[in-house]
Amino acid sequence: MNEQSKRNKIAWEHRAYEFWNKRYGAPEKLAEEIIKNPITHLKKHKQYFRHIEGKKVANLCGSNGRKAVPIALLGADVTVFDISEENKQYALELAGYAKTTMDYIVTDIYEIDLSAYQNYFDVLYLEGGILHYFDDIERLIGILYALLKPNGKMILSDFHPLRKCILTDSEKGSYFGNKNLQLGDLAYKDFFDEAEQTDFPSVSIRLYTLSDIINAVIGSGFQLEKFDEHRSWNGEDIPWEFTILARK
């Protein structure tokens, strides 16, 4: 495990289980909501999971399982790869209360066992803002390509790099100048009392341009089928996220 991954593992195992309970409620409560209508919990990506029965799906950096569980309930064979034991705890409890199952492998994505999983999955699903946790996007996308079966599809959704150029002055960052690793706040740090935040470890991130991301997908051998941009969560006229659909 490289130094960036070691730092990020420490960060994402710091009170993550506690946070998920604060943010989404106890696993049994969230499970009740998901069971009512699983596909609605996939939100803007539900179109890609309407006929997923029997398919092998990898949810990479799948975190607390709130996307993996609905996919499993829709009939897929789901494997989550994630770096955090605390994320795993919440996810497996969530799956148990939802009366479904998944494989949950705690690992650095760079260290996935390709001897076991090469050409294995029908679908890869990545969402929620994870690319900045990897220092080598070409290497990452190359691993994703190796995991997919021929004709398998990848649904890759992440934060839109241009949003950093549109936010307030205090939040703006350099678009083209972020080639080096930098320290950042853990995503859920602000959900805790200010007095507690000083104890939170930092994450190590690298920011990419949109062309970095698209060219890595194309350069790895994927066929880019669709690229969508999404508004901010409250409907603001800001390119907040994007989704790439690509096929092997």
Side-chain angles (χ1 to χ4, degrees):
M1 189 179 293
N2 66 22
E3 292 304 312
Q4 182 192 28
S5 296
K6 288 178 182 176
R7 177 181 285 276
N8 289 336
K9 181 174 177 62
I10 290 169
W12 277 97
E13 290 181 338
H14 183 79
R15 302 179 70 175
Y17 180 80
E18 180 183 352
F19 167 67
W20 298 129
N21 277 272
K22 285 176 176 285
R23 179 69 177 84
Y24 295 106
E28 56 265 41
K29 179 181 177 184
L30 180 57
E32 289 176 2
E33 293 301 314
I34 293 174
I35 289 170
K36 292 176 184 176
N37 195 348
I39 202 165
T40 62
H41 289 265
L42 301 172
K43 298 182 178 179
K44 59 182 172 289
H45 300 133
K46 60 187 178 183
Q47 61 182 306
Y48 301 118
F49 295 96
R50 294 196 181 280
H51 303 287
I52 204 69
E53 300 90 347
K55 301 291 187 181
K56 290 183 171 66
V57 178
N59 184 202
L60 296 109
C61 298
S63 189
N64 62 3
R66 63 192 178 89
K67 301 299 182 182
V69 167
I71 296 169
L73 287 170
L74 292 170
D77 179 3
V78 181
T79 302
V80 175
F81 297 97
D82 193 273
I83 205 165
S84 170
E85 291 282 358
E86 291 216 359
N87 286 348
K88 178 181 180 178
Q89 179 183 354
Y90 189 96
L92 292 186
E93 289 180 12
L94 180 64
Y97 284 113
K99 302 292 191 297
T100 192
T101 60
M102 68 175 78
D103 289 330
Y104 199 113
I105 299 173
V106 176
T107 184
D108 182 356
I109 301 302
Y110 286 150
E111 297 179 355
I112 291 174
D113 183 1
L114 292 181
S115 67
Y117 290 106
Q118 189 160 9
N119 299 318
Y120 185 84
F121 293 103
D122 299 290
V123 178
L124 306 182
Y125 186 38
L126 304 90
E127 60 83 39
I130 57 96
L131 293 178
H132 54 274
Y133 293 119
F134 297 92
D135 65 346
D136 187 339
I137 194 167
E138 287 85 7
R139 181 184 176 193
L140 171 65
I141 301 298
I143 291 169
L144 302 182
Y145 187 84
L147 292 171
L148 265 184
K149 293 178 180 178
N151 203 42
K153 65 183 179 183
M154 175 178 70
I155 302 133
L156 169 60
S157 185
D158 213 280
F159 297 138
H160 201 303
L162 287 177
R163 73 188 185 125
K164 283 288 186 182
C165 302
I166 301 171
L167 298 173
T168 63
D169 289 340
S170 62
E171 296 177 288
K172 282 183 180 178
S174 170
Y175 183 69
F176 288 105
N178 291 305
K179 299 300 180 184
N180 298 318
L181 292 177
Q182 54 191 281
L183 297 181
D185 287 338
L186 190 57
Y188 53 85
K189 177 179 176 179
D190 289 344
F191 282 81
F192 287 81
D193 292 339
E194 190 171 342
E196 298 176 275
Q197 292 180 20
T198 56
D199 295 330
F200 274 70
S202 297
V203 293
S204 177
I205 61 173
R206 179 184 171 184
L207 302 180
Y208 294 100
T209 65
L210 195 55
S211 58
D212 288 335
I213 298 164
I214 292 175
N215 287 333
V217 171
I218 295 171
S220 69
F222 278 107
Q223 297 179 13
L224 184 60
E225 292 194 351
K226 193 175 184 183
F227 176 81
D228 289 321
E229 295 171 290
H230 311 293
R231 293 177 181 269
S232 181
W233 296 312
N234 295 319
E236 296 93 334
D237 194 22
I238 298 172
W240 199 256
E241 296 180 332
F242 68 86
T243 299
I244 288 171
L245 175 66
R247 194 171 296 274
K248 183 173 179 176

